[in-house]
């Protein structure tokens, strides 16, 4: 049986002034319906490139993406994207931004009042109904990102693609957004691919963590199954042995197996810093236990 | 103890209030007083220098002479209008009398053909510049958007634009005149040839900044917004309407402001050179006239030209404010 979404044998070669640059080499990934996948890897390894290929915004140099046994050739609303920097149209209010998407996807399928209800429902999901007539310039970064998510959800996509959706947010807002995303996900059970730099975020939200090797010629290094039961609670998980095991697996992959190759002195410094952060995290554990 | 501190704090508040008042006064002075002083100094310097310049038509006009000429120009305008009215009244009376005698008589109505007043020339120039500018905008904005969207079109048209952009209106004018008199032949023309000549010259000189700025505005739209449009699969028309136009409105207006400035300058030159009715012709006629008042009348025209140019720019700014989403 073929899977819901399949990335098979994807290479990506960018032409650059200095010759061609192979960003991705033989990326393979199978995703089931309703799965929450996060992509993690060092900066510049090619996560966004993978996401853009699935979105259809980039064309793979070889290989391809199959969604529900049809090849992905161009972007489309069935693969909604939440962009890293929200990408709301600044001249439209939150409501109008979602409306543009809803009109495009549901024209002919919904009448005016149904559309209005659907737009408002989606803004309610992300708790933005109180500010839906404000323009992006008038709301905070976290609120903008929530509207971006509402816009993507309102398209009822087959796959929801998110490129570091919470990357630009402060820790508190980020935690809040993660909780709302989990809540929404428990209701809608979307198929999601999310890029993140945050190990805790990856473990907390995902069913599978896809860890990418460093570029050039980056590929899938390892896939980690996250079997933690849902609903997940970040406070309870902090002491959970399985959670901490998964977390350290990802850290090990990133900081041991895929350590960024740097010059010797930098390397020493980096390992020193790692020791320090190890100490810090030990202290943090002590602190939270006491 | 308590009362002491309260006195101290009262003083502080008082001082704060004084400071606030002072701040307001300085702001007010910046807004009104300083420009006023600037203008006053300018007028004094103008008077002094004007007095020391001797031309073949007498002394160079100072501000007082110019103001006098403004009054003259106004009374000439009023007199001319009265003449026109009298003419029409006589014509009506004559026609009425003849139809009374002979019921079959078809009344002849002729237009008044008096001299154009300064006010008429201003209106003519304004209508011409707006027509030329609008025609330029109708061509430039769609073309600029198209160029911004298509790199190949941009590559194809860019050299042509770069070459024609710096061409002076004086070079276009003879060509335009010849072509218009060859092509625009009609026994009963709706608008005069000279109007078409001036308008087309204005258009030819003012399309370029608008095309260039619009194209730059469109081609520099944030790629994330383009990606949003792609993911939504917006049709070409919706894409232009919902994404491209609002995103490039500020650049389009920058182009329009540049163009209108160019258009106004070009128009005055074209009117002078081609003897087409308008403020330029007024200046030229006064120069040819060579009376003792001529220089003061030209100076009055210069002030009016400058003031209208300023108002046109403000008009576009107001329009931008009204249309644009980012106030
Ligand atoms: N359009 C392009 N042309 C040339 N090279 C590109 C292009 N897009 C990406 N690259 C290169 O491909 C590699 C992967 O880029 P990508 O943006 O996918 O990284 P990333 O993993 O998303 O990084 P980050 O975590 O910093 O967002 C980088 O080395 C980048 O320089
Ligand atoms: Mg990226």
């Amino acid at each position: 049986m073929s899977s819901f979404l399949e990335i098979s044998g994807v290479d990506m070669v960018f032409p650059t002034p200095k010759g061609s640059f192979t960003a991705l080499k033989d990326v393979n990934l199978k995703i089931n319906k309703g799965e929450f996948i996060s992509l993690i890897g060092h900066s510049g390894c090619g996560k966004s490139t993978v996401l853009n290929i699935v979105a259809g915004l980039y064309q793979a140099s070889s290989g391809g993406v199959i969604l529900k046994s049809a090849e992905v050739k161009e972007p489309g609303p069935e693969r909604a994207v939440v962009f890293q920097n929200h990408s709301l149209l600044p001249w439209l209010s939150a409501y109008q931004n979602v409306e543009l998407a809803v009109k495009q996807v549901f024209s002919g399928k919904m009448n005016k009042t149904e559309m209005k209800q659907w737009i408002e429902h989606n803004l309610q999901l992300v708790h933005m109904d109180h500010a839906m007539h404000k323009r992006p310039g008038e709301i905070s970064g976290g609120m903008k990102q929530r509207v971006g998510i509402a816009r993507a959800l309102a398209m009822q996509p087959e796959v929801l693609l998110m490129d570091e959706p919470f990357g630009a947010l402060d820790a508190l807002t980020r935690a809040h957004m993660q909780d709302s995303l989990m809540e929404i996900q428990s209701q809608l059970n979307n198929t999601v691919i999310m890029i993140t730099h945050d190990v805790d975020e990856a473990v907390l939200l995902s069913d599978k963590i896809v860890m990418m090797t460093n570029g050039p010629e980056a590929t899938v290094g390892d896939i980690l199954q996250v079997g933690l039961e849902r609903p997940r609670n970040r406070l309870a998980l902090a002491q959970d042995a399985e959670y901490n095991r998964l977390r350290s697996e990802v850290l090990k992959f990133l900081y041991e197996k895929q350590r960024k190759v740097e010059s010797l002195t930098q390397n020493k410094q980096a390992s020193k810093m790692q020791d320090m952060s190890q100490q810090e995290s030990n202290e943090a554990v002590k602190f939270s236990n006491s | 103890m308590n009362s002491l501190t309260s006195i101290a704090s009262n003083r502080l508040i008082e001082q704060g209030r004084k400071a606030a008042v002072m701040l307001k006064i300085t702001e007010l002075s910046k807004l009104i007083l300083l420009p006023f002083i600037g203008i006053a100094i300018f007028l004094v310097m103008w008077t002094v220098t004007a007095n020391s310049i001797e031309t073949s038509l007498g002394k160079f006009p100072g501000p007082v002479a110019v103001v006098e000429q403004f009054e003259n120009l106004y009374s000439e305008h009023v007199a001319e209008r009265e003449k026109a009215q009298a003419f029409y009244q006589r014509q009506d009376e004559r026609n009425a009398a003849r139809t009374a005698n002979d019921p079959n008589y078809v009344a002849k109505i002729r237009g008044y053909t008096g001299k154009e007043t300064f006010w008429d020339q201003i209106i003519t120039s304004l209508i011409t510049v707006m027509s030329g500018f609008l025609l330029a905008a109708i061509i430039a904005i769609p073309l600029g958007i198209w160029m911004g969207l298509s790199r190949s079109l941009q590559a194809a048209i860019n050299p042509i634009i770069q070459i024609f952009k710096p061409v002076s209106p004086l070079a276009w004018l003879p060509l335009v005149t010849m072509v218009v008199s060859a092509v625009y032949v009609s026994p009963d023309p709706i608008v005069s040839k000279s109007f078409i000549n001036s308008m087309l010259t204005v258009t030819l000189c003012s399309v370029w900044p608008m095309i260039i700025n619009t194209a730059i505005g469109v081609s520099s739209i944030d790629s994330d917004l383009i990606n949003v449009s792609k993911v939504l699969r917006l049709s070409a028309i919706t894409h232009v309407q919902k994404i491209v136009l609002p995103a490039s409105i500020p650049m389009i207006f920058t182009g329009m402001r540049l163009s209108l400035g160019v258009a106004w300058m070009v128009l005055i030159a074209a009117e002078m050179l081609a003897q087409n009715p308008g403020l330029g012709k007024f200046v030229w006629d006064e120069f040819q006239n060579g009376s003792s008042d001529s220089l003061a009348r030209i100076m009055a025209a210069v002030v009016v030209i400058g003031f209208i140019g300023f108002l046109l720019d403000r008009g576009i700014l107001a329009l931008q404010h009204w249309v644009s989403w980012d106030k």
Side-chain angles (χ1 to χ4, degrees):
Chain A
M1 198 196 100
S2 66
S3 39
F4 181 69
L5 177 72
E6 189 167 349
I7 304 174
S8 56
V10 162
D11 291 1
M12 188 72 200
V13 183
F14 287 112
T16 67
K18 284 186 234 151
S20 54
F21 174 83
T22 311
L24 300 176
K25 183 85 189 166
D26 197 27
V27 174
N28 292 287
L29 193 60
K30 286 184 181 166
I31 297 167
N32 298 320
K33 193 168 167 55
E35 251 181 336
F36 195 116
I37 305 284
S38 50
L39 273 181
I40 199 164
H42 285 290
S43 180
C45 71
K47 305 180 294 291
S48 297
T49 309
V50 172
L51 202 80
N52 281 327
I53 291 172
V54 178
L57 292 166
Y58 285 175
Q59 273 297 315
S61 309
S62 65
V65 177
I66 292 166
L67 174 64
K68 292 214 293 189
S69 44
E71 197 185 341
V72 167
K73 287 188 180 128
E74 53 170 2
E78 75 281 2
R79 280 159 286 123
V81 184
V82 177
F83 295 90
Q84 178 159 11
N85 54 350
H86 68 79
S87 293
L88 298 178
L89 306 182
W91 46 87
L92 299 181
S93 68
Y95 180 92
Q96 289 167 323
N97 263 288
V98 180
E99 187 184 32
L100 181 68
V102 169
K103 269 192 180 160
Q104 193 63 18
V105 177
F106 295 107
S107 65
K109 292 177 210 142
M110 280 186 190
N111 63 31
K112 269 202 178 136
T113 44
E114 281 171 335
M115 274 194 199
K116 184 163 181 288
Q117 276 168 1
W118 177 241
I119 296 164
E120 286 171 355
H121 168 73
N122 279 282
L123 285 164
Q124 257 159 28
L125 271 184
V126 297
H127 305 295
M128 275 301 296
D129 42 330
H130 62 288
M132 61 184 176
H133 296 298
K134 290 198 170 151
R135 295 235 181 101
E138 301 163 336
I139 57 181
S140 72
M143 291 161 98
K144 279 184 253 200
Q145 205 52 273
R146 281 192 261 167
V147 177
I149 293 173
R151 175 173 65 185
L153 291 173
M155 290 152 74
Q156 271 192 343
E158 305 271 10
V159 188
L160 183 59
L161 305 170
M162 302 200 273
D163 194 343
E164 294 187 45
F166 313 134
L169 306 180
D170 64 278
L172 264 176
T173 317
R174 175 188 275 246
H176 182 72
M177 296 288 299
Q178 289 162 350
D179 289 341
S180 5
L181 186 60
M182 278 196 287
E183 184 194 314
I184 292 166
Q185 186 60 12
S186 69
Q187 291 174 33
L188 304 181
N189 212 23
N190 278 315
T191 311
V192 182
I193 304 180
M194 179 182 77
I195 294 178
T196 179
H197 272 126
D198 183 338
V199 177
D200 290 297
E201 182 173 279
V203 180
L204 183 66
L205 297 178
S206 321
D207 298 316
K208 271 186 202 165
I209 301 175
V210 175
M211 296 176 282
M212 288 186 66
T213 63
N214 289 337
E217 306 205 347
T219 185
V220 175
D222 213 345
I223 298 177
L224 200 64
Q225 289 283 347
V226 181
L228 297 170
E229 234 169 75
R230 290 179 195 271
R232 296 172 184 170
N233 177 308
R234 68 176 68 243
L235 289 177
L237 284 177
Q239 275 114 37
D240 188 295
E242 174 67 359
Y243 175 84
N244 283 310
R245 184 188 70 78
L246 292 164
R247 198 173 163 275
S248 55
E249 286 276 331
V250 181
L251 283 171
K252 250 186 238 161
F253 180 88
L254 289 177
Y255 297 105
E256 284 176 11
K257 293 187 197 143
Q258 290 300 322
R259 175 148 41 170
K260 281 264 190 183
V261 189
E262 284 148 12
S263 75
L264 212 64
T265 52
Q266 270 182 334
N267 236 353
K268 269 185 192 157
Q269 269 180 353
S271 61
K272 241 192 231 164
M273 291 221 326
Q274 214 183 323
D275 288 343
M276 271 169 60
S277 66
Q278 193 73 46
Q279 269 180 3
E280 260 175 29
S281 66
N282 286 343
E283 272 164 26
V285 170
K286 263 188 239 156
F287 181 72
S288 66
N289 283 342
S290 68
Chain B
M1 164 72 208
N2 231 345
S3 64
L4 255 180
T5 50
S6 86
I7 286 172
S9 69
N10 271 348
R11 258 218 194 129
L12 265 180
I13 290 171
E14 192 60 28
Q15 271 175 0
R17 247 187 229 142
K18 264 188 195 157
V21 168
M22 287 300 287
L23 202 74
K24 255 196 186 150
I25 288 174
T26 46
E27 253 171 44
L28 212 69
S29 78
K30 257 188 209 156
L31 223 72
I32 297 172
L33 202 63
L34 293 184
F36 189 79
I37 292 173
I39 291 175
I41 292 177
F42 170 74
L43 289 179
V44 169
M45 279 169 59
W46 178 8
T47 317
V48 171
T49 7
N51 254 326
S52 61
I53 300 177
E54 205 53 61
T55 73
S56 57
L57 295 176
K59 277 216 167 80
F60 191 84
V64 180
V66 172
V67 170
E68 248 166 48
Q69 284 314 314
F70 268 120
E71 281 163 13
N72 282 349
L73 286 168
Y74 178 70
S75 50
E76 277 166 33
H77 170 72
V78 172
E80 195 64 27
R81 279 289 182 281
E82 272 165 10
K83 264 198 214 161
Q85 211 156 24
F87 169 84
Y88 284 119
Q89 206 172 352
R90 271 196 318 257
Q91 178 171 276
D92 283 350
E93 279 164 13
R94 210 170 37 238
N95 283 336
R98 288 188 74 164
T99 19
N101 286 344
D102 172 12
N104 290 334
Y105 176 73
V106 182
K108 274 187 206 143
I109 293 177
R110 287 196 191 83
Y112 176 72
T113 50
K115 191 173 144 255
E116 286 191 313
T117 64
F118 187 58
W119 179 253
D120 293 330
Q121 309 278 38
I122 292 177
I123 299 297
T124 311
S125 283
L126 273 177
I127 290 175
T128 319
V129 82
M130 288 321 290
S131 318
F133 174 74
L134 279 182
L135 181 63
I138 288 169
I139 298 167
I141 293 173
L143 185 62
I145 289 175
W146 194 10
M147 272 176 71
L149 291 176
S150 149
R151 284 197 187 285
S152 21
L153 187 73
Q154 188 158 13
I157 297 187
N158 207 27
I160 303 173
I161 292 177
Q162 298 300 337
I163 288 171
F164 284 133
K165 192 179 67 134
V167 173
S168 153
L170 310 185
W172 283 118
L173 197 55
L175 299 175
V176 171
T177 312
M178 295 314 291
V179 171
V180 167
S181 43
V183 176
Y184 187 67
V185 276
S186 146
D188 183 26
I190 308 167
V191 289
S192 68
K193 261 184 202 165
S194 61
F195 169 79
I196 301 269
N197 287 338
S198 304
M199 183 187 88
L200 286 184
T201 311
V202 165
T203 304
L204 274 172
C205 293
S206 64
V207 274
W208 315 113
M210 267 194 281
I211 296 182
I212 293 172
N213 278 280
T214 307
I216 290 176
V218 171
S219 60
S220 57
I221 296 175
D222 188 354
S223 64
D224 280 339
L225 299 187
I226 306 284
N227 282 342
V228 168
S229 167
K230 280 185 185 159
V231 167
L232 289 177
R233 272 200 205 128
L234 297 184
S235 65
I237 294 172
T238 327
H239 175 64
V240 169
Q241 199 186 340
K242 296 276 178 178
I243 313 259
V244 172
L245 265 179
S248 46
I249 275 279
M251 275 304 268
I252 292 179
F253 270 94
T254 308
M256 281 169 73
R257 283 179 72 189
L258 282 173
S259 279
L260 192 56
V262 169
W264 185 236
M265 281 207 246
V266 161
L267 177 73
I268 303 298
E271 284 169 351
M272 273 181 89
L273 194 75
Q275 294 290 294
N276 295 336
L279 277 169
K281 182 167 165 17
F282 174 86
V283 170
W284 187 252
D285 286 349
E286 288 299 334
F287 178 56
Q288 294 298 319
N289 209 359
S291 82
S292 56
D293 289 340
S294 285
L295 288 186
R297 290 164 79 93
I298 292 175
M299 201 58 208
V302 165
V303 172
V304 168
I305 291 169
F307 197 66
I308 290 176
F310 170 74
L311 287 185
L312 288 175
D313 193 53
R314 280 299 135 127
I316 292 271
L317 263 185
L319 186 68
Q320 172 170 17
H321 200 78
W322 183 61
V323 171
S324 180
W325 50 272
D326 72 1
K327 309 280 179 194

